[in-house]
Amino acid sequence: MTVERIVFIVAGFMVLLSVALTHFVHPYFVGLTLFVGLNLFQSGITKWCPLVIILKKLGVQSECQQATT
C-alpha cells in the first residue's frame, strides 16, 4: 500500500467517523469534519501533510517510488 492510498483511506475514515459522531453523540463533533477538510485543503495548496511525513518515516513508499522499483 502506498502513502497516497493510506492518506485517502485515513481522511475518508475520519470524515465518516466525525459525521457519525456528530449524528449520534454531539453536534460539536462537526469540528472534526471541518478540521479534516481544512487539512486536506491546505495540504493540496502547500503540498505539506503531517500524515505523509509520518508514513515516510515509517518506510511506506509513495507511488513514484513503487513505480521505479
Side-chain angles (χ1 to χ4, degrees):
M1 197 168 298
T2 64
V3 169
E4 294 81 6
R5 289 195 57 172
I6 293 172
V7 169
F8 287 138
I9 290 168
V10 169
F13 175 76
M14 292 303 291
V15 169
L16 292 174
L17 176 67
S18 64
V19 168
L21 288 171
T22 300
H23 182 72
F24 293 112
V25 179
H26 198 278
Y28 285 164
F29 276 107
V30 75
L32 181 59
T33 308
L34 294 172
F35 174 75
V36 173
L38 286 172
N39 191 27
L40 287 169
F41 180 74
Q42 75 81 24
S43 67
I45 292 173
T46 64
K47 296 183 182 178
W48 182 81
C49 178
L51 182 58
V52 171
I53 294 168
I54 293 168
L55 291 172
K56 286 184 178 181
K57 285 186 180 182
L58 291 174
V60 180
Q61 291 184 340
S62 68
E63 288 181 358
C64 294
Q65 291 172 329
Q66 260 190 348
T68 58
T69 58

Tab-separated table of all heavy atoms in Angstrom:
chain	number	residue	atom	x	y	z
A	1	MET	N	0.851	-1.169	0.000
A	1	MET	CA	0.000	0.000	0.000
A	1	MET	C	0.904	1.242	0.000
A	1	MET	O	1.935	1.253	0.650
A	1	MET	CB	-0.912	-0.017	1.219
A	1	MET	CG	-2.053	0.941	1.040
A	1	MET	SD	-3.418	0.831	2.208
A	1	MET	CE	-4.058	-0.789	1.970
A	2	THR	N	0.465	2.255	-0.700
A	2	THR	CA	1.278	3.457	-0.854
A	2	THR	C	0.827	4.564	0.101
A	2	THR	O	-0.260	4.508	0.675
A	2	THR	CB	1.195	3.992	-2.290
A	2	THR	OG1	-0.152	4.386	-2.558
A	2	THR	CG2	1.649	2.960	-3.303
A	3	VAL	N	1.703	5.564	0.248
A	3	VAL	CA	1.414	6.708	1.109
A	3	VAL	C	0.119	7.385	0.681
A	3	VAL	O	-0.742	7.708	1.511
A	3	VAL	CB	2.595	7.708	1.074
A	3	VAL	CG1	2.209	9.015	1.738
A	3	VAL	CG2	3.820	7.124	1.730
A	4	GLU	N	-0.035	7.595	-0.620
A	4	GLU	CA	-1.210	8.308	-1.126
A	4	GLU	C	-2.505	7.565	-0.803
A	4	GLU	O	-3.493	8.184	-0.389
A	4	GLU	CB	-1.086	8.516	-2.641
A	4	GLU	CG	0.035	9.441	-3.045
A	4	GLU	CD	1.411	8.797	-3.094
A	4	GLU	OE1	1.511	7.569	-2.924
A	4	GLU	OE2	2.399	9.526	-3.285
A	5	ARG	N	-2.499	6.252	-0.977
A	5	ARG	CA	-3.713	5.476	-0.681
A	5	ARG	C	-4.049	5.514	0.800
A	5	ARG	O	-5.212	5.630	1.185
A	5	ARG	CB	-3.540	4.031	-1.139
A	5	ARG	CG	-3.542	3.940	-2.654
A	5	ARG	CD	-3.742	2.562	-3.117
A	5	ARG	NE	-4.995	2.064	-2.558
A	5	ARG	CZ	-5.538	0.924	-2.909
A	5	ARG	NH1	-4.970	0.169	-3.792
A	5	ARG	NH2	-6.661	0.531	-2.365
A	6	ILE	N	-3.026	5.431	1.650
A	6	ILE	CA	-3.260	5.467	3.095
A	6	ILE	C	-3.832	6.820	3.505
A	6	ILE	O	-4.745	6.894	4.332
A	6	ILE	CB	-1.966	5.143	3.863
A	6	ILE	CG1	-1.564	3.691	3.607
A	6	ILE	CG2	-2.140	5.398	5.349
A	6	ILE	CD1	-0.202	3.313	4.157
A	7	VAL	N	-3.319	7.907	2.920
A	7	VAL	CA	-3.833	9.241	3.245
A	7	VAL	C	-5.308	9.348	2.860
A	7	VAL	O	-6.121	9.850	3.639
A	7	VAL	CB	-2.999	10.341	2.557
A	7	VAL	CG1	-3.686	11.696	2.659
A	7	VAL	CG2	-1.610	10.403	3.160
A	8	PHE	N	-5.669	8.860	1.679
A	8	PHE	CA	-7.076	8.900	1.255
A	8	PHE	C	-7.952	8.050	2.182
A	8	PHE	O	-9.058	8.460	2.544
A	8	PHE	CB	-7.234	8.404	-0.175
A	8	PHE	CG	-6.732	9.358	-1.211
A	8	PHE	CD1	-6.010	8.888	-2.294
A	8	PHE	CD2	-6.967	10.721	-1.127
A	8	PHE	CE1	-5.540	9.759	-3.267
A	8	PHE	CE2	-6.508	11.597	-2.081
A	8	PHE	CZ	-5.790	11.119	-3.160
A	9	ILE	N	-7.466	6.874	2.559
A	9	ILE	CA	-8.237	5.989	3.436
A	9	ILE	C	-8.449	6.633	4.807
A	9	ILE	O	-9.565	6.643	5.338
A	9	ILE	CB	-7.543	4.616	3.564
A	9	ILE	CG1	-7.658	3.853	2.236
A	9	ILE	CG2	-8.116	3.804	4.714
A	9	ILE	CD1	-6.777	2.622	2.154
A	10	VAL	N	-7.373	7.190	5.374
A	10	VAL	CA	-7.484	7.805	6.702
A	10	VAL	C	-8.392	9.035	6.659
A	10	VAL	O	-9.242	9.219	7.535
A	10	VAL	CB	-6.084	8.170	7.255
A	10	VAL	CG1	-6.181	9.031	8.493
A	10	VAL	CG2	-5.296	6.901	7.544
A	11	ALA	N	-8.243	9.867	5.632
A	11	ALA	CA	-9.084	11.064	5.523
A	11	ALA	C	-10.561	10.684	5.362
A	11	ALA	O	-11.433	11.265	6.022
A	11	ALA	CB	-8.627	11.930	4.358
A	12	GLY	N	-10.832	9.724	4.514
A	12	GLY	CA	-12.216	9.277	4.330
A	12	GLY	C	-12.800	8.680	5.590
A	12	GLY	O	-13.956	8.950	5.946
A	13	PHE	N	-12.008	7.876	6.302
A	13	PHE	CA	-12.468	7.288	7.554
A	13	PHE	C	-12.760	8.365	8.591
A	13	PHE	O	-13.766	8.298	9.304
A	13	PHE	CB	-11.438	6.295	8.084
A	13	PHE	CG	-11.796	5.746	9.427
A	13	PHE	CD1	-12.786	4.784	9.554
A	13	PHE	CD2	-11.166	6.196	10.577
A	13	PHE	CE1	-13.138	4.282	10.799
A	13	PHE	CE2	-11.503	5.716	11.816
A	13	PHE	CZ	-12.493	4.745	11.934
A	14	MET	N	-11.878	9.352	8.678
A	14	MET	CA	-12.077	10.419	9.661
A	14	MET	C	-13.345	11.225	9.366
A	14	MET	O	-14.064	11.608	10.290
A	14	MET	CB	-10.856	11.338	9.705
A	14	MET	CG	-9.623	10.685	10.274
A	14	MET	SD	-9.837	10.039	11.931
A	14	MET	CE	-10.008	11.542	12.850
A	15	VAL	N	-13.621	11.474	8.102
A	15	VAL	CA	-14.846	12.198	7.746
A	15	VAL	C	-16.075	11.368	8.118
A	15	VAL	O	-17.013	11.884	8.730
A	15	VAL	CB	-14.862	12.568	6.248
A	15	VAL	CG1	-16.228	13.065	5.824
A	15	VAL	CG2	-13.795	13.605	5.949
A	16	LEU	N	-16.069	10.088	7.762
A	16	LEU	CA	-17.204	9.228	8.101
A	16	LEU	C	-17.380	9.101	9.613
A	16	LEU	O	-18.511	9.155	10.122
A	16	LEU	CB	-17.027	7.844	7.480
A	16	LEU	CG	-17.121	7.784	5.963
A	16	LEU	CD1	-16.782	6.382	5.476
A	16	LEU	CD2	-18.503	8.192	5.490
A	17	LEU	N	-16.276	8.947	10.339
A	17	LEU	CA	-16.342	8.849	11.791
A	17	LEU	C	-16.898	10.126	12.402
A	17	LEU	O	-17.768	10.077	13.282
A	17	LEU	CB	-14.955	8.553	12.364
A	17	LEU	CG	-14.848	8.513	13.883
A	17	LEU	CD1	-15.620	7.322	14.439
A	17	LEU	CD2	-13.389	8.454	14.293
A	18	SER	N	-16.433	11.264	11.926
A	18	SER	CA	-16.900	12.525	12.507
A	18	SER	C	-18.367	12.791	12.195
A	18	SER	O	-19.089	13.334	13.031
A	18	SER	CB	-16.032	13.689	12.028
A	18	SER	OG	-16.157	13.860	10.644
A	19	VAL	N	-18.823	12.378	11.027
A	19	VAL	CA	-20.249	12.534	10.709
A	19	VAL	C	-21.089	11.633	11.624
A	19	VAL	O	-22.123	12.064	12.147
A	19	VAL	CB	-20.518	12.218	9.217
A	19	VAL	CG1	-22.001	12.096	8.938
A	19	VAL	CG2	-19.905	13.285	8.339
A	20	ALA	N	-20.623	10.403	11.846
A	20	ALA	CA	-21.353	9.502	12.740
A	20	ALA	C	-21.362	10.036	14.174
A	20	ALA	O	-22.397	10.008	14.850
A	20	ALA	CB	-20.729	8.106	12.699
A	21	LEU	N	-20.220	10.544	14.634
A	21	LEU	CA	-20.161	11.101	15.983
A	21	LEU	C	-21.038	12.341	16.111
A	21	LEU	O	-21.683	12.552	17.148
A	21	LEU	CB	-18.715	11.439	16.352
A	21	LEU	CG	-17.788	10.254	16.615
A	21	LEU	CD1	-16.349	10.725	16.755
A	21	LEU	CD2	-18.231	9.477	17.834
A	22	THR	N	-21.075	13.158	15.059
A	22	THR	CA	-21.935	14.348	15.073
A	22	THR	C	-23.396	13.944	15.191
A	22	THR	O	-24.166	14.550	15.930
A	22	THR	CB	-21.716	15.186	13.797
A	22	THR	OG1	-20.348	15.593	13.751
A	22	THR	CG2	-22.605	16.408	13.771
A	23	HIS	N	-23.778	12.912	14.467
A	23	HIS	CA	-25.171	12.473	14.464
A	23	HIS	C	-25.565	11.776	15.769
A	23	HIS	O	-26.642	12.038	16.318
A	23	HIS	CB	-25.416	11.538	13.277
A	23	HIS	CG	-26.822	11.070	13.171
A	23	HIS	ND1	-27.855	11.896	12.783
A	23	HIS	CD2	-27.385	9.862	13.422
A	23	HIS	CE1	-28.989	11.209	12.790
A	23	HIS	NE2	-28.721	9.972	13.178
A	24	PHE	N	-24.698	10.886	16.258
A	24	PHE	CA	-25.084	10.040	17.385
A	24	PHE	C	-24.625	10.550	18.750
A	24	PHE	O	-25.216	10.174	19.762
A	24	PHE	CB	-24.549	8.615	17.189
A	24	PHE	CG	-25.196	7.892	16.047
A	24	PHE	CD1	-24.478	7.588	14.908
A	24	PHE	CD2	-26.533	7.532	16.112
A	24	PHE	CE1	-25.071	6.918	13.853
A	24	PHE	CE2	-27.140	6.863	15.059
A	24	PHE	CZ	-26.403	6.553	13.925
A	25	VAL	N	-23.570	11.359	18.817
A	25	VAL	CA	-23.024	11.747	20.111
A	25	VAL	C	-23.299	13.206	20.424
A	25	VAL	O	-24.011	13.525	21.373
A	25	VAL	CB	-21.507	11.451	20.187
A	25	VAL	CG1	-20.943	11.874	21.525
A	25	VAL	CG2	-21.241	9.969	19.943
A	26	HIS	N	-22.711	14.117	19.636
A	26	HIS	CA	-22.862	15.542	19.929
A	26	HIS	C	-22.599	16.351	18.660
A	26	HIS	O	-21.682	16.034	17.907
A	26	HIS	CB	-21.876	15.967	21.017
A	26	HIS	CG	-22.235	17.263	21.658
A	26	HIS	ND1	-21.918	18.474	21.096
A	26	HIS	CD2	-22.901	17.538	22.802
A	26	HIS	CE1	-22.354	19.442	21.867
A	26	HIS	NE2	-22.968	18.902	22.922
A	27	PRO	N	-23.387	17.394	18.417
A	27	PRO	CA	-23.220	18.194	17.193
A	27	PRO	C	-21.855	18.871	17.071
A	27	PRO	O	-21.427	19.194	15.969
A	27	PRO	CB	-24.319	19.250	17.299
A	27	PRO	CG	-25.300	18.721	18.264
A	27	PRO	CD	-24.562	17.802	19.182
A	28	TYR	N	-21.150	19.067	18.177
A	28	TYR	CA	-19.851	19.733	18.104
A	28	TYR	C	-18.771	18.870	17.443
A	28	TYR	O	-17.693	19.357	17.130
A	28	TYR	CB	-19.390	20.176	19.484
A	28	TYR	CG	-20.110	21.395	20.013
A	28	TYR	CD1	-20.039	21.722	21.351
A	28	TYR	CD2	-20.868	22.213	19.185
A	28	TYR	CE1	-20.692	22.839	21.851
A	28	TYR	CE2	-21.526	23.319	19.673
A	28	TYR	CZ	-21.433	23.638	20.995
A	28	TYR	OH	-22.082	24.741	21.476
A	29	PHE	N	-19.033	17.589	17.233
A	29	PHE	CA	-18.070	16.755	16.517
A	29	PHE	C	-17.949	17.159	15.049
A	29	PHE	O	-17.063	16.683	14.349
A	29	PHE	CB	-18.432	15.272	16.629
A	29	PHE	CG	-17.923	14.629	17.885
A	29	PHE	CD1	-18.791	14.307	18.909
A	29	PHE	CD2	-16.578	14.350	18.048
A	29	PHE	CE1	-18.335	13.721	20.075
A	29	PHE	CE2	-16.106	13.764	19.203
A	29	PHE	CZ	-16.986	13.448	20.225
A	30	VAL	N	-18.818	18.039	14.587
A	30	VAL	CA	-18.686	18.566	13.231
A	30	VAL	C	-17.356	19.313	13.084
A	30	VAL	O	-16.822	19.443	11.987
A	30	VAL	CB	-19.900	19.448	12.849
A	30	VAL	CG1	-19.836	20.804	13.528
A	30	VAL	CG2	-19.996	19.612	11.346
A	31	GLY	N	-16.786	19.753	14.189
A	31	GLY	CA	-15.478	20.392	14.171
A	31	GLY	C	-14.389	19.473	13.646
A	31	GLY	O	-13.447	19.928	12.980
A	32	LEU	N	-14.506	18.176	13.924
A	32	LEU	CA	-13.543	17.214	13.387
A	32	LEU	C	-13.648	17.142	11.869
A	32	LEU	O	-12.632	17.076	11.177
A	32	LEU	CB	-13.765	15.838	14.017
A	32	LEU	CG	-12.840	14.720	13.594
A	32	LEU	CD1	-11.384	15.073	13.892
A	32	LEU	CD2	-13.223	13.426	14.302
A	33	THR	N	-14.861	17.178	11.352
A	33	THR	CA	-15.060	17.195	9.905
A	33	THR	C	-14.423	18.440	9.303
A	33	THR	O	-13.747	18.359	8.266
A	33	THR	CB	-16.563	17.170	9.560
A	33	THR	OG1	-17.186	16.095	10.246
A	33	THR	CG2	-16.779	17.021	8.075
A	34	LEU	N	-14.628	19.572	9.945
A	34	LEU	CA	-14.035	20.816	9.458
A	34	LEU	C	-12.514	20.759	9.505
A	34	LEU	O	-11.836	21.227	8.578
A	34	LEU	CB	-14.546	21.995	10.279
A	34	LEU	CG	-16.026	22.304	10.135
A	34	LEU	CD1	-16.442	23.360	11.150
A	34	LEU	CD2	-16.334	22.751	8.728
A	35	PHE	N	-11.956	20.183	10.566
A	35	PHE	CA	-10.505	20.061	10.685
A	35	PHE	C	-9.933	19.206	9.561
A	35	PHE	O	-8.924	19.571	8.945
A	35	PHE	CB	-10.131	19.467	12.044
A	35	PHE	CG	-8.669	19.169	12.180
A	35	PHE	CD1	-7.759	20.194	12.373
A	35	PHE	CD2	-8.210	17.865	12.109
A	35	PHE	CE1	-6.402	19.924	12.494
A	35	PHE	CE2	-6.865	17.585	12.226
A	35	PHE	CZ	-5.955	18.618	12.418
A	36	VAL	N	-10.556	18.067	9.286
A	36	VAL	CA	-10.074	17.190	8.219
A	36	VAL	C	-10.174	17.895	6.871
A	36	VAL	O	-9.249	17.852	6.060
A	36	VAL	CB	-10.856	15.853	8.208
A	36	VAL	CG1	-10.485	15.013	7.001
A	36	VAL	CG2	-10.604	15.078	9.488
A	37	GLY	N	-11.295	18.583	6.635
A	37	GLY	CA	-11.462	19.303	5.375
A	37	GLY	C	-10.439	20.412	5.203
A	37	GLY	O	-9.858	20.573	4.119
A	38	LEU	N	-10.189	21.171	6.259
A	38	LEU	CA	-9.183	22.229	6.188
A	38	LEU	C	-7.783	21.669	5.984
A	38	LEU	O	-6.976	22.236	5.238
A	38	LEU	CB	-9.222	23.085	7.450
A	38	LEU	CG	-10.395	24.043	7.554
A	38	LEU	CD1	-10.435	24.694	8.934
A	38	LEU	CD2	-10.313	25.103	6.476
A	39	ASN	N	-7.490	20.539	6.620
A	39	ASN	CA	-6.184	19.916	6.439
A	39	ASN	C	-6.006	19.424	5.007
A	39	ASN	O	-4.928	19.574	4.421
A	39	ASN	CB	-5.989	18.768	7.434
A	39	ASN	CG	-4.574	18.267	7.458
A	39	ASN	OD1	-3.633	19.005	7.165
A	39	ASN	ND2	-4.405	17.015	7.811
A	40	LEU	N	-7.038	18.835	4.434
A	40	LEU	CA	-6.965	18.410	3.035
A	40	LEU	C	-6.778	19.608	2.107
A	40	LEU	O	-5.997	19.558	1.151
A	40	LEU	CB	-8.228	17.638	2.636
A	40	LEU	CG	-8.371	16.241	3.200
A	40	LEU	CD1	-9.777	15.706	2.950
A	40	LEU	CD2	-7.348	15.317	2.584
A	41	PHE	N	-7.477	20.688	2.392
A	41	PHE	CA	-7.361	21.906	1.590
A	41	PHE	C	-5.950	22.482	1.658
A	41	PHE	O	-5.332	22.762	0.631
A	41	PHE	CB	-8.394	22.927	2.073
A	41	PHE	CG	-8.369	24.219	1.323
A	41	PHE	CD1	-8.877	24.305	0.045
A	41	PHE	CD2	-7.821	25.347	1.897
A	41	PHE	CE1	-8.852	25.496	-0.653
A	41	PHE	CE2	-7.789	26.549	1.221
A	41	PHE	CZ	-8.301	26.626	-0.064
A	42	GLN	N	-5.419	22.646	2.864
A	42	GLN	CA	-4.089	23.234	2.989
A	42	GLN	C	-3.015	22.318	2.432
A	42	GLN	O	-2.045	22.782	1.856
A	42	GLN	CB	-3.777	23.644	4.437
A	42	GLN	CG	-3.456	22.562	5.424
A	42	GLN	CD	-2.026	22.067	5.376
A	42	GLN	OE1	-1.126	22.747	4.947
A	42	GLN	NE2	-1.841	20.851	5.834
A	43	SER	N	-3.168	20.999	2.560
A	43	SER	CA	-2.151	20.103	2.012
A	43	SER	C	-2.193	20.090	0.483
A	43	SER	O	-1.170	19.875	-0.162
A	43	SER	CB	-2.313	18.684	2.565
A	43	SER	OG	-3.513	18.095	2.114
A	44	GLY	N	-3.361	20.339	-0.081
A	44	GLY	CA	-3.448	20.450	-1.532
A	44	GLY	C	-2.763	21.692	-2.055
A	44	GLY	O	-2.180	21.694	-3.141
A	45	ILE	N	-2.802	22.756	-1.275
A	45	ILE	CA	-2.167	24.012	-1.696
A	45	ILE	C	-0.672	24.010	-1.393
A	45	ILE	O	0.145	24.373	-2.232
A	45	ILE	CB	-2.854	25.210	-1.001
A	45	ILE	CG1	-4.272	25.362	-1.548
A	45	ILE	CG2	-2.068	26.499	-1.202
A	45	ILE	CD1	-5.102	26.397	-0.832
A	46	THR	N	-0.304	23.576	-0.185
A	46	THR	CA	1.096	23.686	0.246
A	46	THR	C	1.923	22.436	-0.019
A	46	THR	O	3.136	22.463	0.114
A	46	THR	CB	1.161	23.986	1.757
A	46	THR	OG1	0.600	22.883	2.473
A	46	THR	CG2	0.431	25.257	2.102
A	47	LYS	N	1.283	21.326	-0.355
A	47	LYS	CA	1.941	20.030	-0.545
A	47	LYS	C	2.657	19.567	0.726
A	47	LYS	O	3.681	18.906	0.679
A	47	LYS	CB	2.916	20.074	-1.722
A	47	LYS	CG	2.230	20.324	-3.045
A	47	LYS	CD	3.214	20.297	-4.178
A	47	LYS	CE	2.504	20.602	-5.473
A	47	LYS	NZ	3.415	20.632	-6.593
A	48	TRP	N	2.122	19.951	1.896
A	48	TRP	CA	2.666	19.540	3.189
A	48	TRP	C	1.568	18.879	3.997
A	48	TRP	O	0.534	19.485	4.267
A	48	TRP	CB	3.211	20.759	3.940
A	48	TRP	CG	3.829	20.410	5.241
A	48	TRP	CD1	5.091	19.921	5.434
A	48	TRP	CD2	3.232	20.478	6.534
A	48	TRP	NE1	5.300	19.694	6.772
A	48	TRP	CE2	4.170	20.032	7.475
A	48	TRP	CE3	1.979	20.875	6.990
A	48	TRP	CZ2	3.908	19.971	8.827
A	48	TRP	CZ3	1.718	20.807	8.340
A	48	TRP	CH2	2.678	20.369	9.241
A	49	CYS	N	1.791	17.623	4.367
A	49	CYS	CA	0.802	16.872	5.130
A	49	CYS	C	1.514	16.109	6.244
A	49	CYS	O	2.438	15.325	5.966
A	49	CYS	CB	0.063	15.901	4.217
A	49	CYS	SG	-1.146	14.863	5.060
A	50	PRO	N	1.123	16.318	7.488
A	50	PRO	CA	1.787	15.625	8.596
A	50	PRO	C	1.726	14.100	8.484
A	50	PRO	O	2.695	13.417	8.813
A	50	PRO	CB	1.028	16.102	9.833
A	50	PRO	CG	0.391	17.377	9.426
A	50	PRO	CD	0.115	17.267	7.961
A	51	LEU	N	0.606	13.560	8.011
A	51	LEU	CA	0.485	12.107	7.886
A	51	LEU	C	1.482	11.558	6.876
A	51	LEU	O	2.056	10.481	7.080
A	51	LEU	CB	-0.945	11.712	7.505
A	51	LEU	CG	-1.224	10.216	7.378
A	51	LEU	CD1	-0.900	9.482	8.674
A	51	LEU	CD2	-2.662	9.977	6.976
A	52	VAL	N	1.717	12.272	5.801
A	52	VAL	CA	2.689	11.831	4.795
A	52	VAL	C	4.086	11.756	5.413
A	52	VAL	O	4.824	10.796	5.181
A	52	VAL	CB	2.673	12.769	3.563
A	52	VAL	CG1	3.821	12.459	2.630
A	52	VAL	CG2	1.349	12.659	2.836
A	53	ILE	N	4.442	12.749	6.203
A	53	ILE	CA	5.751	12.762	6.851
A	53	ILE	C	5.891	11.554	7.777
A	53	ILE	O	6.920	10.865	7.770
A	53	ILE	CB	5.942	14.081	7.625
A	53	ILE	CG1	5.988	15.253	6.650
A	53	ILE	CG2	7.204	14.037	8.473
A	53	ILE	CD1	5.875	16.614	7.297
A	54	ILE	N	4.861	11.271	8.550
A	54	ILE	CA	4.887	10.132	9.468
A	54	ILE	C	5.011	8.821	8.699
A	54	ILE	O	5.821	7.954	9.044
A	54	ILE	CB	3.633	10.129	10.366
A	54	ILE	CG1	3.653	11.322	11.308
A	54	ILE	CG2	3.507	8.818	11.142
A	54	ILE	CD1	2.340	11.570	12.028
A	55	LEU	N	4.219	8.662	7.650
A	55	LEU	CA	4.246	7.418	6.877
A	55	LEU	C	5.597	7.205	6.200
A	55	LEU	O	6.107	6.076	6.150
A	55	LEU	CB	3.125	7.414	5.844
A	55	LEU	CG	1.707	7.306	6.406
A	55	LEU	CD1	0.684	7.506	5.307
A	55	LEU	CD2	1.505	5.969	7.100
A	56	LYS	N	6.195	8.269	5.688
A	56	LYS	CA	7.512	8.130	5.050
A	56	LYS	C	8.581	7.763	6.063
A	56	LYS	O	9.483	6.984	5.759
A	56	LYS	CB	7.874	9.405	4.298
A	56	LYS	CG	7.089	9.558	3.014
A	56	LYS	CD	7.523	10.763	2.223
A	56	LYS	CE	6.739	10.841	0.917
A	56	LYS	NZ	7.140	11.991	0.106
A	57	LYS	N	8.492	8.292	7.286
A	57	LYS	CA	9.443	7.913	8.340
A	57	LYS	C	9.266	6.452	8.737
A	57	LYS	O	10.212	5.807	9.181
A	57	LYS	CB	9.288	8.818	9.554
A	57	LYS	CG	9.879	10.189	9.336
A	57	LYS	CD	9.840	11.027	10.591
A	57	LYS	CE	10.454	12.391	10.304
A	57	LYS	NZ	10.498	13.237	11.493
A	58	LEU	N	8.049	5.932	8.583
A	58	LEU	CA	7.788	4.520	8.874
A	58	LEU	C	8.206	3.601	7.730
A	58	LEU	O	8.120	2.387	7.845
A	58	LEU	CB	6.304	4.313	9.190
A	58	LEU	CG	5.816	4.920	10.505
A	58	LEU	CD1	4.303	4.780	10.620
A	58	LEU	CD2	6.499	4.253	11.686
A	59	GLY	N	8.628	4.194	6.612
A	59	GLY	CA	9.133	3.397	5.496
A	59	GLY	C	8.118	3.046	4.425
A	59	GLY	O	8.401	2.222	3.555
A	60	VAL	N	6.954	3.655	4.459
A	60	VAL	CA	5.948	3.392	3.434
A	60	VAL	C	6.352	4.134	2.157
A	60	VAL	O	6.730	5.298	2.204
A	60	VAL	CB	4.549	3.857	3.896
A	60	VAL	CG1	3.505	3.580	2.829
A	60	VAL	CG2	4.166	3.194	5.199
A	61	GLN	N	6.295	3.449	1.035
A	61	GLN	CA	6.710	4.044	-0.231
A	61	GLN	C	5.575	4.831	-0.870
A	61	GLN	O	4.403	4.497	-0.719
A	61	GLN	CB	7.169	2.971	-1.213
A	61	GLN	CG	8.456	2.293	-0.819
A	61	GLN	CD	8.908	1.316	-1.872
A	61	GLN	OE1	8.125	0.868	-2.699
A	61	GLN	NE2	10.187	0.977	-1.843
A	62	SER	N	5.952	5.875	-1.618
A	62	SER	CA	4.958	6.617	-2.392
A	62	SER	C	4.762	5.908	-3.730
A	62	SER	O	5.496	4.996	-4.079
A	62	SER	CB	5.420	8.063	-2.605
A	62	SER	OG	6.530	8.093	-3.452
A	63	GLU	N	3.773	6.363	-4.499
A	63	GLU	CA	3.504	5.744	-5.793
A	63	GLU	C	4.683	5.903	-6.743
A	63	GLU	O	4.982	5.006	-7.521
A	63	GLU	CB	2.236	6.353	-6.404
A	63	GLU	CG	0.987	5.923	-5.696
A	63	GLU	CD	-0.277	6.501	-6.317
A	63	GLU	OE1	-0.175	7.269	-7.282
A	63	GLU	OE2	-1.353	6.195	-5.812
A	64	CYS	N	5.368	7.037	-6.676
A	64	CYS	CA	6.540	7.264	-7.540
A	64	CYS	C	7.656	6.291	-7.217
A	64	CYS	O	8.302	5.753	-8.114
A	64	CYS	CB	7.041	8.704	-7.378
A	64	CYS	SG	5.896	9.936	-7.951
A	65	GLN	N	7.895	6.054	-5.926
A	65	GLN	CA	8.946	5.118	-5.514
A	65	GLN	C	8.590	3.699	-5.909
A	65	GLN	O	9.464	2.925	-6.302
A	65	GLN	CB	9.168	5.206	-4.012
A	65	GLN	CG	9.797	6.495	-3.567
A	65	GLN	CD	9.818	6.619	-2.051
A	65	GLN	OE1	8.924	6.107	-1.365
A	65	GLN	NE2	10.817	7.307	-1.531
A	66	GLN	N	7.334	3.319	-5.813
A	66	GLN	CA	6.918	1.965	-6.175
A	66	GLN	C	7.020	1.745	-7.672
A	66	GLN	O	7.335	0.648	-8.111
A	66	GLN	CB	5.489	1.693	-5.720
A	66	GLN	CG	5.429	0.898	-4.454
A	66	GLN	CD	4.031	0.422	-4.139
A	66	GLN	OE1	3.053	0.855	-4.751
A	66	GLN	NE2	3.926	-0.451	-3.175
A	67	ALA	N	6.766	2.778	-8.468
A	67	ALA	CA	6.804	2.637	-9.914
A	67	ALA	C	8.219	2.411	-10.421
A	67	ALA	O	8.429	1.747	-11.439
A	67	ALA	CB	6.214	3.873	-10.580
A	68	THR	N	9.214	2.944	-9.718
A	68	THR	CA	10.598	2.808	-10.184
A	68	THR	C	11.239	1.518	-9.719
A	68	THR	O	12.309	1.161	-10.198
A	68	THR	CB	11.456	4.002	-9.686
A	68	THR	OG1	11.409	4.048	-8.265
A	68	THR	CG2	10.948	5.296	-10.274
A	69	THR	N	10.611	0.810	-8.780
A	69	THR	CA	11.212	-0.450	-8.307
A	69	THR	C	10.635	-1.639	-8.984
A	69	THR	O	9.679	-1.646	-9.651
A	69	THR	CB	11.050	-0.605	-6.778
A	69	THR	OG1	9.656	-0.568	-6.461
A	69	THR	CG2	11.807	0.462	-6.054
